[in-house]
Amino acid sequence: MPERQADYLIVGAGSAGCALAYRLSEAGRSVIVIEHGGSDAGPFIQMPGALSFPMSMRRYDWGFRTDPEPHLGGRRMACPRGKVVGGSSSINGMIYVRGHPQDFDHWRDHGAAGWGYADVLPYFQRLENWHDGGHGGDRDWRGSEGPVHITRGSRDNLLTRAFVQAGEQAGYGVTGDYNGYRQEGVGPFDMTVWQGQRWSAAKAYLRPALKRDNCSLVNALAQRVIVENGRAVGVEVMRKGRIEVIRASREVILAASAINSPKLLMLSGIGPAKHLKDHGINVVADRAGVGQNLQDHLEVYVQAAASKPVSLFKYWNLMGKAYVGARWLLTKTGPGASNQFESAGFIRSRAGIDYPDLQIHFLPIAVRYDGQTAAEGHGFQAHVGPMRSKSRGAVTLRSGDPADDPRILFNYMSHDDDWTDFRQAIRLVREIFAQEAFAPFYKHEIQPGDNVQSDEMLDDFIRSHAESAYHPCGTCKMGDRSDPSSVVDPECRVIGVDGLRVADSSIFPRITNGNLNAPSIMVGEKASDHILGQSCLPADNRAPWVHAEWRTRQR
């Protein structure tokens, strides 16, 4: 069989990979995208209200689980990653958060030159097609002509509005657009939904790219990058039971996720030398940082029972689900047309922190991610957790066999400060729930439970109930070439191998505030200019909002 070849090979049709395919093919380069997952067709993915289903279906999910987490009672945690066209943008919660401006300034100041907020803001604007839906916002800070449609839910549920009112009553500011001038405060959530359907990276970027003659998609499992004389020249794949080689005349780009990108590097001989040798892999480049620096957002649900039938629980029966599904199928409207995360909070846990370190997702039903509702019936909840945990984990090889899942250990809650921050997060949400705006609806706390008050009791609750928000990143850290822990330089080039780049959430030096789909797409957008050798978009040096009294006030 003749070898396939293109200017660029992109491994992974996820958030960043799809953006790369679009921009590189738009520039006239030939592109082959290698994706192990299949089609994203079907209502489980396309209906926003069905978001709990695809991430628990092996058809769409790699099904990764962590090693026993020592600080969470030895629990093995789920780590869903999209194994489908669109990657995790096809199975995520569709929440759109850029991150806080100071997240990117931190990247810049720690070795990722050219990735400060002024540098990345134009790329967020380039990717966005933002529709405020009449809820207000900062249009001057947003993009309106990009491929990614971003909307807001109808926010017609009383509880959704009560959360923002309660946050304001508790002393937090209201922000009309946390992705604009001011992140800190409470206000409406953005979501990657358009005309009632999930708007994934596959829809935004890959499908338009595949209409071009110079872009194609290959369904196969990438096994390793082929490196000859210090240069990446292709990718070995398993396709239909046979090993094939796909060649790159210019570059190979890994965009396979914070789990699979470091795995592929290590299988290709790029990583910590001793670890590679232990698995019988010849060392091509000894990079100690490959697979290290693993980060995530951990969260708990603070759940309350409702005293009135005002939550989405009224749809949590056979007839209700049939109504929601039928209405969505026929009209793409109703509860099924929203992810139901329609109100948000970004707050600081204490005075002396200069920008929000806690995120709150409010949901007008008491339910788990797997779709199981609380036994109490009507209720509501806030997902809350620290945004900048100091705990670090690692992705390592289980064996040298590409078919084996890697070992994943986040090492959650290994830093003492995480416990302090989590306790405070729970107490601050309880305070919001205790405000007058919730008084007509609040019955009692379901979890942690009214009796769980002491530090020790809260710690026990966190240890037993904390869950991943599914935001892994950091395992191919971007930084200065002189830093031995850096895996890629600020142009996303793998240090020690020519013709090879990584461009996805694995290159984040530190995790950003909020959900990671938006900054992952931004990485694909910006990396495309580096790859093409084009000048980056002009910096936008506007100063975002920071609380004037952050040193002395928590709100």
Side-chain angles (χ1 to χ4, degrees):
M1 176 177 285
E3 291 181 347
R4 293 172 180 255
Q5 180 168 316
D7 292 335
Y8 296 101
L9 303 186
I10 300 169
V11 181
S15 299
C18 290
L20 283 162
Y22 181 88
R23 295 302 180 189
L24 296 179
S25 61
E26 179 184 49
R29 306 296 193 269
S30 60
V31 176
I32 295 175
V33 181
I34 302 167
E35 170 58 47
H36 187 42
S39 171
D40 61 342
F44 286 128
I45 283 182
Q46 300 308 326
M47 183 168 74
L51 64 90
S52 65
F53 292 101
M55 71 174 61
S56 60
M57 297 172 68
R58 286 307 298 262
R59 175 180 174 182
Y60 302 126
D61 172 31
W62 284 87
F64 296 133
R65 299 192 74 81
T66 71
D67 282 1
E69 290 286 345
H71 304 281
L72 293 179
R75 288 192 287 146
R76 298 189 67 204
M77 311 287 282
C79 181
R81 292 292 86 198
K83 188 178 68 173
V84 59
V85 171
S88 294
S89 77
S90 289
I91 69 168
N92 67 1
M94 291 155 282
I95 294 169
Y96 184 87
V97 184
R98 288 174 170 178
H100 193 278
Q102 292 192 43
D103 292 329
F104 303 101
D105 290 347
H106 181 275
W107 289 12
R108 177 201 62 204
D109 296 343
H110 289 78
W115 290 79
Y117 187 63
D119 305 302
V120 303
L121 175 56
Y123 287 96
F124 280 116
Q125 292 169 325
R126 185 166 89 175
L127 73 88
E128 292 177 349
N129 192 335
W130 184 67
H131 313 264
D132 65 17
H135 294 294
D138 299 332
R139 183 155 293 282
D140 288 347
W141 289 75
R142 307 302 296 273
S144 60
E145 298 179 356
V148 181
H149 287 286
I150 300 150
T151 60
R152 292 176 172 177
S154 62
R155 308 185 75 228
D156 54 7
N157 184 278
L158 292 172
L159 295 170
T160 298
R161 298 196 298 274
F163 173 79
V164 175
Q165 294 165 2
E168 187 174 20
Q169 289 167 358
Y172 299 103
V174 174
T175 175
D177 187 357
Y178 63 81
N179 282 314
Y181 169 60
R182 171 178 176 164
Q183 185 190 74
E184 184 169 334
V186 292
F189 251 137
D190 283 351
M191 59 182 177
T192 50
V193 172
W194 177 236
Q195 296 178 338
Q197 300 183 70
R198 177 191 294 271
W199 196 254
S200 66
K203 285 185 174 179
Y205 291 103
L206 187 60
R207 289 216 173 84
L210 291 174
K211 292 178 181 178
R212 301 173 181 143
D213 293 339
N214 59 341
C215 184
S216 60
L217 177 68
V218 173
N219 182 246
L221 174 65
Q223 301 207 124
R224 67 184 181 97
V225 177
I226 299 170
V227 181
E228 296 176 355
N229 301 317
R231 183 175 186 84
V233 296
V235 176
E236 178 187 285
V237 303
M238 178 65 72
R239 182 168 175 262
K240 297 180 179 178
R242 296 178 57 179
I243 292 178
E244 298 179 17
V245 173
I246 305 176
R247 292 270 170 177
S249 59
R250 290 178 180 261
E251 293 187 6
V252 175
I253 307 153
L254 302 186
S257 82
I259 309 302
N260 279 325
S261 287
K263 175 190 172 184
L264 269 170
L265 287 178
M266 289 185 281
L267 289 172
S268 309
I270 304 158
K274 183 181 183 304
H275 181 60
L276 301 184
K277 291 174 183 176
D278 287 346
H279 290 289
I281 298 170
N282 292 328
V283 179
V284 171
D286 180 9
R287 299 307 303 174
V290 175
Q292 304 301 303
N293 193 45
L294 177 61
Q295 300 161 66
D296 191 16
H297 289 141
L298 205 60
E299 63 185 14
V300 295
Y301 305 167
V302 178
Q303 294 181 325
S307 58
K308 296 178 181 178
V310 291
S311 78
L312 297 177
F313 184 73
K314 62 185 176 182
Y315 300 115
W316 230 259
N317 54 66
L318 188 60
M319 291 298 293
K321 290 180 179 180
Y323 163 75
V324 170
R327 181 175 175 183
W328 182 84
L329 286 168
L330 292 170
T331 68
K332 300 298 185 287
T333 63
S338 170
N339 61 4
Q340 299 305 329
F341 289 107
E342 296 184 351
S343 288
F346 291 91
I347 64 177
R348 291 176 295 115
S349 60
R350 57 188 179 275
I353 295 174
D354 52 352
Y355 71 100
D357 60 331
L358 303 176
Q359 181 186 17
I360 303 170
H361 301 71
F362 180 77
L363 194 61
I365 186 173
V367 67
R368 299 199 315 241
Y369 249 131
D370 61 8
Q372 297 298 309
T373 56
E376 300 275 348
H378 281 280
F380 50 93
Q381 67 191 37
H383 304 200
V384 66
M387 288 293 96
R388 296 188 291 281
S389 166
K390 295 177 181 176
S391 298
R392 295 291 183 272
V395 173
T396 53
L397 294 177
R398 192 172 303 278
S399 76
D401 184 349
D404 283 349
D405 287 349
R407 295 186 62 183
I408 303 167
L409 183 71
F410 284 96
N411 207 23
Y412 292 121
M413 305 301 292
S414 57
H415 197 287
D416 288 346
D417 288 354
D418 293 346
W419 296 94
T420 302
D421 294 344
F422 244 118
R423 291 182 217 119
Q424 179 71 344
I426 293 169
R427 286 169 172 147
L428 291 174
V429 168
R430 283 172 159 172
E431 183 185 18
I432 292 173
F433 281 180
Q435 299 301 312
E436 182 181 347
F438 276 119
F441 317 114
Y442 189 92
K443 187 177 180 183
H444 63 262
E445 186 171 285
I446 300 171
Q447 71 170 38
D450 294 326
N451 62 317
V452 178
Q453 297 294 334
S454 69
D455 286 358
E456 294 74 18
M457 294 178 79
L458 286 172
D459 288 351
D460 286 343
F461 170 75
I462 294 163
R463 194 175 294 111
S464 299
H465 290 85
E467 295 187 10
S468 171
Y470 310 140
H471 301 159
C473 65
T475 49
C476 300
K477 188 184 85 167
M478 174 171 53
D480 191 88
R481 281 180 168 263
S482 64
D483 180 354
S485 68
S486 296
V487 176
V488 301
D489 70 9
E491 292 192 16
C492 305
R493 296 174 296 200
V494 173
I495 301 168
V497 180
D498 293 333
L500 179 61
R501 303 198 201 218
V502 180
D504 57 22
S505 67
S506 68
I507 73 168
F508 292 11
R510 189 175 72 174
I511 198 166
T512 55
N513 266 21
N515 311 68
L516 301 192
N517 186 37
S520 298
I521 296 173
M522 179 276 292
V523 163
E525 284 273 6
K526 189 169 187 293
S528 70
D529 279 352
H530 292 302
I531 293 164
L532 291 167
Q534 298 178 169
S535 297
C536 288
L537 298 176
D540 184 332
N541 290 297
R542 284 178 291 176
W545 189 91
V546 176
H547 197 298
E549 299 176 80
W550 64 265
R551 291 176 179 84
T552 56
R553 294 179 58 185
Q554 182 261 331
R555 66 191 83 173

